[in-house]
């Protein structure tokens, strides 16, 4: 069993724990108030299965029972977990999500065995010390970007990632579904997007400068029913799935499937295939009415599958060379009176900003979309540093802070030679723990536009689920605490205390089968000797 002082992310307040215990066994009952059904199902299916507890329905005031309640005097996503003699376990939440997050804390209190899929000691009575935990999140957006375009992750792997997010009280999956290297979502009216665009003939192994190739075809996609299942599974865990359909750059997979989408007056787009290497691709969408209508059709199907408030449109890393050389693009610039090619990109993004707003949704894109102006409701993912987020917040736009220098989990975790495919700056566990999402330059009014933070998992050099695990964990635990807990200023954070709590948390990750990076460095099978990366020396810039 675990005390409240070993919970990750750290709760707001813990009273206790006392030496007395509430014991859970096969006689323990579960009572759930209306509105708490998702947590009731999860407790029986996950916690009950792990510990061999049937958790039969019982009376509200059963001795040593588990009780789930809603309390409209509490804030959204907050909870109060009380464990005491005669009252049993009570989880009281400000909304259904709060009750669910309280259940995640209960799971941690029950020890690593509660993170398995079946009991390892059947018949055991599980004790929880008497205590009261009061808790709630700092930010409403606690996100993880999962890039399935570069390396496809089968549906079961995505569902597993949602479970890992829920265990860390993260509540937004940014689902990066399209890029130059693959199109991963079925679009019924445009079937070649997956027939052609979801597979590439080979894959660069390592950084794009690496001489190594994996000559096996790579690909896959999610059917519409797969997407519905992922969205429903996430919703049961109070996680919102925000899809990303990248425009107007990062689009070679779509152009390979439908060559008319590209700049046909500049390049022979019929000769293009799904891209097999990494980097910034020159082949971008043509700024034509036909392209706009095509993607409106794509987004219509996306809106049907994803109920999220926000739809991500990418908008980053769009080279302008083809537009400069394209008579069609130049004619459009002149026709619309735009300020060159940058204005053309802003027009392209602005079209979908307006289109989404008319359908009750909000556009979010990478910080390049600030160039040229944004509609009032659009939001920004600040990835190139803090500057984009600061500019967006000062202009009145909502912001998700995800600067590459701090929370890109494809960056290496150590400076040692054994790190597999070393990319970017060294960002260890402590570096992530000291990340501060709200730039100090913002006024209190401006800071209210910071919706929260997100850790990004770009999978160019992550060829399978084990590599994703290694890059993501344990750093995601540190990020989760940054996004959830009300921590002091970065320099005053108790990293030593966090490491002590991580000692317990590694046992939970072990039980979940997470192939995390051990504190002492990679295990032999986690290394990738001889595979070229792109390490950057020194501390990252503070900008």
């Amino acid at each position: 069993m675990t005390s409240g002082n070993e919970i990750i992310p750290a709760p707001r307040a813990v009273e206790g724990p006392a030496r007395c215990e509430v014991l859970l066994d096969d006689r323990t009952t579960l009572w759930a108030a209306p509105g708490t059904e998702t947590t009731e199902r999860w407790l029986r299916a996950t916690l009950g299965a792990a510990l061999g507890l049937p958790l039969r329905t019982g009376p509200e005031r059963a001795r040593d029972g588990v009780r789930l309640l809603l309390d409209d005097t509490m804030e959204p996503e907050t909870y109060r977990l009380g464990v005491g003699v005669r009252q049993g376990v009570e989880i009281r939440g400000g909304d259904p999500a709060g009750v669910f997050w309280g259940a995640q804390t209960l799971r941690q209190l029950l020890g690593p065995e509660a993170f398995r899929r079946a009991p390892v000691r059947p018949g055991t009575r599980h004790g929880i010390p008497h205590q009261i935990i009061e808790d709630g999140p700092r930010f409403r957006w606690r996100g993880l970007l999962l890039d399935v375009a570069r390396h496809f992750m089968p549906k079961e792997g995505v569902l597993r990632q949602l479970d890992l997010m829920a265990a860390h009280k993260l509540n937004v999956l940014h689902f990066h579904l399209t890029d130059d290297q693959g199109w991963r979502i079925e679009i019924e009216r445009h079937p070649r997007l997956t027939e052609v665009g979801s597979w590439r003939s080979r894959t660069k192994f390592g950084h794009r400068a690496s001489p190594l190739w994996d000559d096996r075809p790579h690909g896959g996609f999610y059917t519409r029913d797969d997407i519905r299942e992922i969205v429903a599974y996430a919703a049961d865990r109070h996680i919102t799935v925000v899809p990303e359909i990248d425009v107007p750059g990062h689009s070679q997979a779509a152009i390979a499937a439908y060559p008319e989408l590209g700049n046909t007056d500049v390049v022979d787009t019929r000769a293009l295939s799904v891209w097999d290497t990494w980097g910034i691709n020159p082949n971008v969408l043509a700024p034509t009415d036909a392209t706009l209508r095509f993607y409106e059709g794509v987004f219509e199907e996306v809106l049907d599958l994803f109920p999220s408030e926000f739809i991500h449109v990418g908008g980053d890393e769009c080279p302008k060379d083809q537009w400069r050389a394209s008579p069609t693009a130049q004619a459009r610039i002149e026709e619309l009176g735009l300020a060159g090619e940058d204005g053309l990109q802003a027009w392209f993004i602005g079209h979908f900003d307006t289109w989404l707003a008319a359908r009750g949704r909000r556009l979010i894109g990478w910080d390049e979309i600030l160039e040229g102006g944004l509609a009032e409701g659009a939001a920004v993912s600040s990835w190139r540093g803090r500057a984009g987020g600061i500019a967006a917040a000062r202009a009145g736009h909502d912001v998700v802070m995800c600067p590459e220098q701090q929370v890109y989990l494809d960056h290496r975790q150590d400076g040692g030679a054994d790190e597999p495919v070393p990319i970017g700056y060294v960002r260890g566990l402590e570096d992530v723990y000291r990340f501060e999402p709200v730039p100090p330059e913002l006024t209190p009014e401006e800071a209210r536009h910071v919706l929260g933070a997100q850790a990004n998992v770009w999978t160019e050099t992550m060829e399978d689920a084990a590599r994703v695990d290694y890059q993501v964990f344990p750093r995601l635990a540190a990020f989760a605490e940054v996004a959830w807990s009300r921590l002091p200023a970065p320099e005053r954070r108790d990293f030593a205390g966090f490491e002590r709590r991580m000692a317990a948390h590694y046992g939970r990750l072990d039980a979940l089968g997470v192939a995390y990076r051990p504190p002492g460095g990679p295990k032999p099978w986690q290394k990738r000797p001889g595979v070229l990366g792109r390490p950057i020396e020194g501390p990252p810039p503070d900008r």
Side-chain angles (χ1 to χ4, degrees):
M1 86 196 133
T2 302
S3 77
N5 293 328
E6 293 177 328
I7 300 302
I8 290 179
R12 288 184 186 174
V14 179
E15 182 182 323
R19 295 181 66 181
C20 301
E21 291 184 335
V22 167
L23 296 175
L24 304 186
D25 57 24
D26 59 6
R27 295 170 296 179
T28 299
T29 59
L30 173 61
W31 182 86
T36 66
E37 293 84 1
T38 56
T39 301
E40 179 186 17
R41 289 195 299 269
W42 182 87
L43 282 170
R44 288 200 175 100
T46 303
L47 199 60
L51 300 178
L53 304 177
L55 296 176
R56 299 178 182 89
T57 301
E60 180 179 356
R61 295 293 173 184
R63 181 185 177 92
D64 288 352
V66 178
R67 186 164 59 257
L68 308 178
L69 298 164
L70 293 176
D71 186 337
D72 60 10
T73 68
M74 300 170 65
E75 294 293 319
E77 292 197 271
T78 62
Y79 68 89
R80 181 183 186 275
L81 171 60
V83 183
V85 64
R86 288 187 290 275
Q87 78 170 39
V89 177
E90 179 182 281
I91 302 175
R92 185 179 294 266
D95 61 2
V99 177
F100 184 72
W101 304 133
Q104 300 307 310
T105 295
L106 173 63
R107 187 188 197 186
Q108 292 197 23
L109 294 176
L110 285 162
E113 290 182 10
F115 290 79
R116 296 188 178 276
R117 295 195 180 188
V120 294
R121 294 175 181 82
T124 300
R125 304 182 76 189
H126 305 277
I128 309 175
H130 290 193
Q131 59 195 295
I132 297 173
I133 298 175
E134 295 188 352
D135 200 7
R138 179 184 179 191
F139 294 110
R140 59 171 279 202
W141 186 301
R142 307 180 301 279
L144 176 72
L145 177 143
L146 183 61
D147 169 21
V148 295
R150 273 51 176 271
H151 277 99
F152 178 65
M153 179 176 285
K155 180 194 68 179
E156 288 301 317
V158 178
L159 301 181
R160 175 177 176 267
Q161 290 298 321
L162 289 166
D163 281 331
L164 292 171
M165 289 177 64
H168 292 83
K169 301 185 175 75
L170 299 175
N171 69 342
V172 178
L173 174 66
H174 177 165
F175 208 17
H176 184 77
L177 288 163
T178 73
D179 218 295
D180 301 299
Q181 296 86 2
W183 185 284
R184 306 298 180 207
I185 178 173
E186 178 187 27
I187 302 296
E188 285 186 335
R189 72 189 72 186
H190 302 307
R192 285 176 59 84
L193 286 172
T194 47
E195 290 171 0
V196 174
S198 70
W199 292 89
R200 58 180 182 259
S201 62
R202 63 175 187 170
T203 300
K204 175 66 70 174
F205 190 33
H207 182 255
R208 62 181 176 271
S210 167
L212 304 176
W213 293 90
D214 182 342
D215 288 319
R216 297 172 297 176
H218 177 86
F221 67 93
Y222 309 105
T223 67
R224 290 170 59 86
D225 280 348
D226 289 338
I227 294 292
R228 292 186 180 102
E229 180 182 356
I230 288 167
V231 169
Y233 193 86
D236 271 353
R237 286 147 184 80
H238 299 277
I239 296 170
T240 299
V241 184
V242 174
E244 180 179 351
I245 305 296
D246 226 328
V247 295
H250 288 288
S251 296
Q252 183 162 317
I255 296 168
Y258 291 93
E260 64 271 22
L261 295 174
N263 294 283
T264 57
D265 54 351
V266 178
V267 295
D268 181 7
T269 56
R270 295 169 300 176
L272 296 177
S273 58
V274 178
W275 212 25
D276 56 12
T277 188
W278 321 122
I280 299 176
N281 189 296
N283 293 297
V284 303
L285 298 175
T288 64
D289 289 341
T291 300
L292 296 181
R293 299 294 88 76
F294 182 97
Y295 273 88
E296 286 171 0
V298 169
F299 280 114
E300 282 177 6
E301 295 194 28
V302 167
L303 297 191
D304 181 57
L305 294 169
F306 295 92
S308 56
E309 174 186 4
F310 290 98
I311 303 295
H312 208 291
V313 301
D316 64 317
E317 296 181 330
C318 179
K320 310 299 191 298
D321 295 344
Q322 290 185 0
W323 288 351
R324 292 187 187 97
S326 164
T328 301
Q330 292 302 311
R332 175 124 284 185
I333 290 171
E334 184 175 355
E335 169 198 345
L336 298 172
L338 301 175
E341 291 77 23
D342 289 340
L344 189 58
Q345 178 169 347
W347 166 80
F348 199 109
I349 296 297
H351 174 85
F352 287 103
D353 191 351
T354 303
W355 189 91
L356 288 168
R359 289 153 181 80
R361 305 297 186 96
R362 293 178 65 186
L363 178 144
I364 185 169
W366 302 110
D367 53 51
E368 285 95 329
I369 68 172
L370 284 166
E371 300 157 9
L374 280 179
E376 184 177 349
V380 170
S381 301
S382 185
W383 77 274
R384 291 181 294 181
R386 297 183 299 113
I390 292 169
R394 286 176 173 167
H397 294 288
D398 288 339
V399 178
V400 176
M401 296 300 294
C402 49
E404 63 172 331
Q405 302 91 342
Q406 307 297 331
V407 288
Y408 268 35
L409 300 185
D410 52 317
H411 282 210
R412 57 194 173 133
Q413 303 183 63
D414 189 85
D418 288 337
E419 288 305 303
V421 199
I423 299 295
Y425 298 100
V426 173
R427 295 286 88 189
L429 190 64
E430 183 172 1
D431 296 308
V432 174
Y433 191 67
R434 297 195 189 279
F435 166 58
E436 173 49 50
V438 179
E441 296 93 332
L442 297 180
T443 67
E445 178 63 30
E446 292 164 348
R448 279 193 275 274
H449 284 291
V450 179
L451 300 178
Q454 182 171 286
N456 292 348
V457 183
W458 300 106
T459 61
E460 287 95 331
T461 63
M462 301 179 211
E463 71 277 9
D464 55 31
R467 279 286 291 125
V468 173
D469 276 7
Y470 180 91
Q471 292 298 133
V472 172
F473 289 98
R475 291 183 294 182
L476 193 68
F479 172 80
E481 185 146 311
V482 167
W484 175 275
S485 306
R486 297 180 184 273
L487 299 176
E491 66 277 5
R492 293 173 44 228
R493 292 177 188 171
D494 181 11
F495 179 69
F498 176 76
E499 282 190 305
R500 284 192 296 272
R501 286 181 288 122
M502 278 301 299
H505 201 64
Y506 286 121
R508 300 167 192 146
L509 297 178
D510 286 332
L512 286 166
V514 176
Y516 58 85
R517 182 190 188 275
K523 297 176 181 177
W525 54 88
Q526 293 174 319
K527 302 174 185 179
R528 296 290 186 275
V531 181
L532 187 66
R534 183 183 62 91
I536 304 175
E537 301 304 330
D542 181 22
R543 55 177 174 80

